[in-house]
Amino acid sequence: MSGKGAILRTYRYATALLEPAAAGLLLWRRRRGKEDLARHAERRGHASVKRPNKPLVWLHGASVGETVTLLPLIAKLQKRGFAVLVTSGTVTSARLMAARLPGGVIHQYIPLDVPRYMRRFMDHWRPDLCLICESEIWPNLLIEAQRRAIPVVMVNGRMSERSFARWYKMPKTSRFLLSCFEACLAQSQGDAERLAQLGAPRVSVAGNLKFDVPAPPADSDTLAILDGQTTGRPVWIAASTHPGEDELVLAAHLAIKPYLPKLLTIIAPRHPQRGPEIEALAEANEVAVSRRATGGSPERTIDLYVADTVNELGLFYRLSQVAFLGGSLVEGIGGHNPIEPAKLGCALLHGPYVHNNAEIFAAFDRDGGSREAADAQALAGAVHRWLNNPAEARQAARAAAQTATELGGALNRTLHAIEPLLMRVALGQRESAP
């Protein structure tokens, strides 16, 4: 425990002493629909299923974006014969994993970072290797893993300028925590340099796993029905929107509608439970609206379709000629992943706030697959231009797809980097077998 500094010691003691407050936080979140009532014990480290009797690799992603990023790696590990445990912290990610994880892969909610919860979790699962996606640096998780000699690797590692500035103020703490990682496999050279500067001892650049994630699936029968309902209409989607963006998307729709009377705008909120408030917003502006979650369809009389379901973005990207990526017109989010719509034939638009995916958007912008729209007026102009000129939109979509293909390869580089650890896990299991 020496060398971590006062901040980390205080955190460790505080999270132990405030365990009752952590239980209260879970209750508060559950009442707000942010916790799974049927599985809330998992957040306190209680497992809901047995541990498989073979080498187990634990992969953790915070939410939807991170867990989806891990899917190709999960499939490769399962094919190698490892048991796979996936953890995440949000209800939406759990629902998505239920739909997209391969059979036999276990999902659990990550416990809160309380010492007793983490001990309970690791005592049950006894992972042989832990792969943490992006920038999930939880002190108690890392300390408990280190005590059990569980190797931990940061995959698809990211350290934004903002996060770097915060960690830089705690040099002893950051150095100790990052030293707990067997390796940090960074998305980019910039991420690698920031991780190394904070004290990570073993850093390399593997690239961004998001480029190797398959395009999201779509049920063929459902797609055929929706395609029939929207044929002949110019269609665009505002995907993964946040509060404050829906109003701007609706304003853009109203600005375009006089020029493209058959226009269909799809809004897929980042959090599906916001569907009713988007519906109310549309009705207040006298826009004909229906919601997928209540069985509505994008029939000819509907101008705004709210796609407030989980794991169906693959459907709506396939229906749309243009995709706007949310979390980029309001500050504080940082923009959501544009790779999925790029792989499904969409020309891409984004707002000015894309720091979470800055290098990805920069690549798409540079190659002509995406454009920035700073406000509702600019968004309306860009959407109208592409919907009114399908050949230009197709050219942008082809450029986006080409960029997504060219930037792939991180999966193979990640597997190569962790191969010694995988061999160690497999050999260790065989040596300990009776």
Side-chain angles (χ1 to χ4, degrees):
M1 295 290 286
S2 63
K4 296 191 295 294
I7 294 175
L8 191 56
R9 284 196 298 273
T10 300
Y11 176 89
R12 179 85 168 158
Y13 297 144
T15 51
L17 291 172
L18 295 176
E19 184 180 324
L25 173 64
L26 287 175
L27 179 61
W28 177 80
R29 284 175 54 83
R30 200 171 76 198
R31 288 172 176 168
R32 291 171 61 91
K34 293 185 176 183
E35 296 291 337
D36 189 333
L37 177 61
R39 297 172 57 186
H40 71 276
E42 292 174 24
R43 295 285 267 160
R44 292 182 284 112
H46 292 285
S48 57
V49 296
K50 291 183 178 179
R51 184 199 188 280
N53 188 26
K54 59 180 179 178
L56 184 142
V57 180
W58 167 28
L59 301 96
H60 173 65
S63 188
V64 171
E66 295 84 0
T67 48
V68 168
T69 297
L70 291 170
L71 287 173
L73 193 53
I74 291 166
K76 291 287 188 180
L77 292 169
Q78 189 182 40
K79 191 174 181 180
R80 290 274 299 270
F82 295 102
V84 179
L85 167 69
V86 180
T87 58
S88 62
T90 66
V91 173
T92 304
S93 64
R95 291 174 182 167
L96 190 67
M97 289 299 98
R100 295 187 63 176
L101 281 178
V105 174
I106 300 167
H107 176 270
Q108 297 279 278
Y109 284 103
I110 188 73
L112 294 187
D113 198 47
V114 171
R116 191 159 71 115
Y117 296 173
M118 280 296 171
R119 286 196 296 270
R120 184 182 290 150
F121 175 87
M122 293 193 194
D123 287 345
H124 174 85
W125 290 107
R126 306 186 313 281
D128 298 288
L129 173 63
C130 175
L131 306 178
I132 295 180
C133 188
E134 295 200 4
S135 55
E136 287 282 279
I137 304 174
W138 291 105
N140 289 319
L141 184 158
L142 292 171
I143 290 169
E144 296 300 334
Q146 189 179 61
R147 284 179 168 178
R148 291 163 174 77
I150 300 167
V152 181
V153 177
M154 182 186 294
V155 298
N156 217 46
R158 184 167 60 87
M159 179 58 63
S160 68
E161 292 282 3
R162 292 184 180 184
S163 295
F164 173 79
R166 289 195 295 268
W167 283 110
Y168 191 73
K169 297 174 182 177
M170 302 178 288
K172 291 183 179 180
T173 299
S174 63
R175 189 178 302 113
F176 171 80
L177 291 175
L178 289 171
S179 73
C180 294
F181 287 92
E182 188 84 10
C184 292
L185 308 179
Q187 293 182 18
S188 70
Q189 188 62 40
D191 291 309
E193 290 172 358
R194 287 186 286 273
L195 285 164
Q197 198 171 343
L198 289 174
R202 295 166 290 274
V203 184
S204 60
V205 179
N208 196 328
L209 284 170
K210 291 178 180 178
F211 287 103
D212 293 318
V213 177
D219 178 78
S220 57
D221 292 337
T222 306
L223 179 61
I225 293 170
L226 291 170
D227 188 54
Q229 293 172 334
T230 58
T231 296
R233 300 185 69 179
V235 181
W236 72 293
I237 181 171
S240 298
T241 61
H242 290 259
E245 292 184 310
D246 307 303
E247 295 86 346
L248 302 176
V249 171
L250 184 59
H253 170 88
L254 291 170
I256 302 167
K257 178 73 173 175
Y259 303 97
L260 296 174
K262 295 181 180 180
L263 177 69
L264 174 64
T265 297
I266 301 172
I267 295 182
R270 182 67 170 180
H271 302 105
Q273 63 268 28
R274 292 183 51 248
E277 69 183 68
I278 299 172
E279 180 182 39
L281 176 66
E283 290 173 343
N285 285 271
E286 300 181 346
V287 172
V289 59
S290 66
R291 286 175 49 216
R292 182 151 183 80
T294 58
S297 62
E299 57 196 47
R300 299 290 166 174
T301 58
I302 295 300
D303 291 330
L304 180 69
Y305 191 49
V306 183
D308 52 346
T309 52
V310 174
N311 198 39
E312 290 197 314
L313 270 176
L315 282 173
F316 302 112
Y317 285 146
R318 286 173 170 86
L319 294 174
S320 305
Q321 295 94 55
V322 178
F324 163 75
L325 278 305
S328 63
L329 275 175
V330 291
E331 295 190 60
I333 310 299
H336 291 297
N337 175 15
I339 299 170
E340 291 184 344
K343 290 186 174 184
L344 290 175
C346 294
L348 307 175
L349 294 169
H350 61 86
Y353 307 111
V354 294
H355 57 268
N356 273 348
N357 290 287
E359 294 187 3
I360 297 177
F361 279 108
F364 282 123
D365 286 353
R366 181 190 63 236
D367 297 339
S370 66
R371 295 176 182 172
E372 179 181 316
D375 52 31
Q377 183 179 0
L379 181 62
V383 172
H384 177 257
R385 176 174 174 172
W386 271 338
L387 292 182
N388 198 45
N389 190 341
E392 185 179 341
R394 285 193 296 270
Q395 183 178 354
R398 284 193 295 270
Q402 181 66 24
T403 300
T405 299
E406 291 174 352
L407 293 176
L411 175 61
N412 288 335
R413 289 188 288 272
T414 299
L415 287 168
H416 178 75
I418 66 174
E419 180 62 29
L421 292 172
L422 295 176
M423 289 296 295
R424 189 193 309 172
V425 169
L427 290 170
Q429 182 74 10
R430 281 199 292 271
E431 290 170 359
S432 64

